Amino acid sequence: MQVYKFGGASIATPERMRALLPIISQAERPLLLVVSALGKTTNQLEAIVAAAAKGEVEEARTLTAALETVHRQYAQDILHGAHLQAAEEAMTLILTELEWSLDDAAHQAYDYVYDQMVCVGELLSTTIFSHYLNQEGCQNAWLDVRDIIRTNSHYRDAQVDEAFTEKAVNEKLLPLWNAQSIVITQGFIGATDENHSTTLGREGSDYTAALLGSMLNATKVTIWKDVEGLLNADPRLFDDTIKIPQISYYEVIEMAYYGAQVIHPKTIKPLHNKGIPLAVKCFLNPSLEGTLIDVNIDAAYPPIIVCKKNQVLLEVISKDYSFVTEDVLSQIYELFAKHRVKINMMQNAAISLVAAIDNRQDKIAPLINDLQIQFMVRRNEEVELLTVRHYDEAILNMLCAGKSILLQQKTRKTAQFIVR
Ligand code: ASP
Ligand code: MG
């Protein structure tokens, strides 16, 4: 049993979806396909939610009509005959649900409305994809993932009830393979015990694939992306990036922690815990070897560079010059935890502590208010956090050239800098 995850970019156009056919038809079975919404559909749905919540009903309807047209044209491009008809009927039902949520939107909590509407993207894309594969001879069963992924009602960031979900996987997903060797379902979405739709956080499809893969004891989970694999730096920021052929889960979780947007951070744990390998492959060129992430990989890595922009450096200083001892530190940490502000890098001195955090004004302002009861707080805006794993001095000199360094830390394997 293996899992393939296809993101929005891999099915952005009918041509792209057609190009996935050989990948899927040659795959080892049984196969679970976990699929995102087409292209940037989730962003478009977010715009619809925003309009509907503001009571801009006309705008919301216009945007919905545009979204519907794109999906219907996509289906007409790729499907024909009975498959087209069946897909159109299914899409009508899904879009009707969207219309209903639209009518309700202004009277309901924003995050709740968001999840009821945004889940439509994945339901539509998988409907088209499932019919397309059936039409082309890749017989498959379509599954509404909301019937198996049970979550709490923390809308937009729902937490999965793993015990319930695992049971549902055994009872509802496994039997589907008796009839078909491929099952296709949605990433990113789930449902509460009252059958309200939920979402697991943006880009959450990787996580769905990992979670289901671990519950199914898959032999491998493959994420199909538009890059050739995991690179040692963000190619939008650096030239001459190097593709990493094999890498350990440990290394990837470090990269994700320091801010690399390679794979959704929640993806790693379920797979690592079961010892299931994760492959990253390129859907544009499936013959490329990609990257294999596994538990016991003992490779020599190139320097891995992670750049986290838009950071704020907070300096917290004791007002009366008392030392920042363990008890004071834990008071400061408690305030960060209370406001759910994650510390990306920190250093303490005699009477102060400096911490680099994401620039989220909505969280920082109340945090500072609380801190100021006991401490003086200074802030440096618009700084960057640069992390280099497996560094050498040459690469650090190159990266820091022309920048002013506000803070630095080095361990044997990791060097970190706050720069401007
Ligand atoms: N479609 C969702 C998003 O764009 C989930 C995903 O792509 O993983 O965030
Ligand atoms: Mg996506």
Side-chain angles (χ1 to χ4, degrees):
M1 213 300 295
Q2 56 165 340
V3 180
Y4 277 5
K5 183 260 169 172
F6 290 107
S10 69
I11 49 171
T13 60
E15 293 68 50
R16 288 240 167 124
M17 190 178 277
R18 284 191 188 99
L20 301 183
L21 186 61
I23 297 180
I24 293 166
S25 57
Q26 287 158 28
E28 203 182 287
R29 319 282 172 91
L31 176 67
L32 175 67
L33 303 177
V34 175
V35 181
S36 303
L38 302 180
K40 300 271 178 232
T41 302
T42 305
N43 294 356
Q44 286 150 7
L45 284 161
E46 284 186 341
I48 297 175
V49 178
K54 276 188 262 167
E56 293 167 0
V57 185
E58 274 317 302
E59 171 72 358
R61 290 205 188 286
T62 311
L63 293 171
T64 307
L67 187 105
E68 173 165 0
T69 306
V70 168
H71 282 81
R72 292 210 184 270
Q73 275 171 359
Y74 193 117
Q76 282 158 16
D77 187 314
I78 205 158
L79 299 171
H80 48 79
H83 292 286
L84 176 59
Q85 202 189 333
E88 291 203 307
E89 282 164 14
M91 287 164 67
T92 301
L93 291 179
I94 298 165
L95 288 160
T96 309
E97 269 189 55
L98 181 62
E99 303 270 327
W100 286 339
S101 313
L102 249 176
D103 295 334
D104 270 7
H107 319 289
Q108 306 266 13
Y110 193 92
D111 291 353
Y112 169 80
V113 172
Y114 180 102
D115 282 4
Q116 308 323 300
M117 293 171 82
V118 164
C119 68
V120 163
E122 270 69 13
L123 294 170
L124 289 172
S125 67
T126 51
T127 297
I128 299 173
F129 205 177
S130 170
H131 283 288
Y132 172 65
L133 293 174
N134 275 329
Q135 169 183 288
E136 303 303 320
C138 271
Q139 296 306 319
N140 68 91
W142 183 88
L143 171 71
D144 187 334
V145 86
R146 296 173 301 176
D147 290 339
I148 54 170
I149 302 236
R150 165 69 60 84
T151 71
N152 65 7
S153 50
H154 200 302
Y155 295 104
R156 291 184 74 177
D157 185 23
Q159 306 299 308
V160 176
D161 175 342
E162 294 193 14
F164 183 97
T165 302
E166 181 140 30
K167 194 160 167 278
V169 163
N170 288 318
E171 287 169 5
K172 293 182 180 156
L173 174 52
L174 278 181
L176 294 176
W177 272 305
N178 295 331
Q180 307 292 357
S181 63
I182 304 176
V183 173
I184 178 167
T185 197
Q186 306 78 37
F188 175 56
I189 67 176
T192 67
D193 54 359
E194 291 183 319
N195 263 326
H196 296 301
S197 301
T198 51
T199 63
L200 311 178
R202 285 302 306 265
E203 306 300 329
S205 296
D206 290 356
Y207 173 49
T208 306
L211 198 64
L212 295 178
S214 82
M215 290 174 179
L216 290 161
N217 290 308
T219 49
K220 197 201 255 182
V221 173
T222 305
I223 296 181
W224 292 89
K225 291 173 87 80
D226 55 3
V227 291
E228 60 173 314
L230 239 62
L231 305 175
N232 74 323
D234 186 340
R236 289 166 301 184
L237 303 176
F238 296 95
D239 302 328
D240 308 325
T241 52
I242 305 167
K243 198 220 48 172
I244 304 172
Q246 295 202 339
I247 188 166
S248 68
Y249 275 115
Y250 179 82
E251 201 59 47
V252 173
I253 199 116
E254 291 278 325
M255 285 172 77
Y257 179 80
Y258 294 125
Q261 285 161 340
V262 276
I263 286 166
H264 194 285
K266 278 180 163 176
T267 310
I268 311 297
K269 186 169 172 261
L271 295 177
H272 170 269
N273 291 359
K274 286 261 181 103
I276 299 169
L278 174 64
V280 178
K281 295 265 294 172
C282 181
F283 61 78
L284 298 169
N285 188 353
S287 65
L288 295 177
E289 120 199 271
T291 296
L292 188 73
I293 307 164
D294 210 340
V295 182
N296 292 317
I297 296 234
D298 196 17
Y301 300 112
I304 298 176
I305 305 163
V306 183
C307 189
K308 211 164 159 55
K309 292 187 183 275
N310 204 12
Q311 298 289 291
V312 173
L313 195 61
L314 278 193
E315 189 177 7
V316 182
I317 309 153
S318 73
K319 276 184 182 166
D320 59 0
Y321 271 48
S322 55
F323 289 124
V324 175
T325 48
E326 287 68 21
D327 49 334
V328 180
L329 268 181
S330 70
Q331 281 169 20
I332 299 174
Y333 264 93
E334 249 167 55
L335 291 175
F336 277 82
K338 174 181 159 198
H339 293 281
R340 302 181 88 183
V341 175
K342 177 175 164 267
I343 299 179
N344 297 323
M345 176 181 174
M346 84 100 181
Q347 208 164 67
N348 66 317
I351 59 157
S352 69
L353 169 142
V354 241
I357 55 178
D358 292 349
N359 188 1
R360 286 274 311 265
Q361 288 307 326
D362 55 327
K363 290 185 171 187
I364 294 177
L367 168 67
I368 291 184
N369 277 342
D370 259 2
L371 284 167
Q372 276 172 334
I373 298 171
Q374 277 196 66
F375 306 95
M376 273 184 314
V377 180
R378 290 198 202 121
R379 55 200 280 179
N380 272 296
E381 310 259 349
E382 284 173 45
V383 296
E384 277 175 38
L385 169 61
L386 209 58
T387 304
V388 190
R389 299 265 304 153
H390 314 285
Y391 63 90
D392 55 42
E393 289 307 318
I395 191 114
L396 298 186
N397 290 339
M398 190 272 281
L399 287 170
C400 295
K403 294 191 168 134
S404 66
I405 300 174
L406 282 69
L407 190 66
Q408 59 174 302
Q409 258 170 27
K410 282 186 198 165
T411 64
R412 210 152 46 86
K413 284 203 175 142
T414 311
Q416 290 196 289
F417 300 88
I418 297 289
V419 297
R420 178 182 275 141

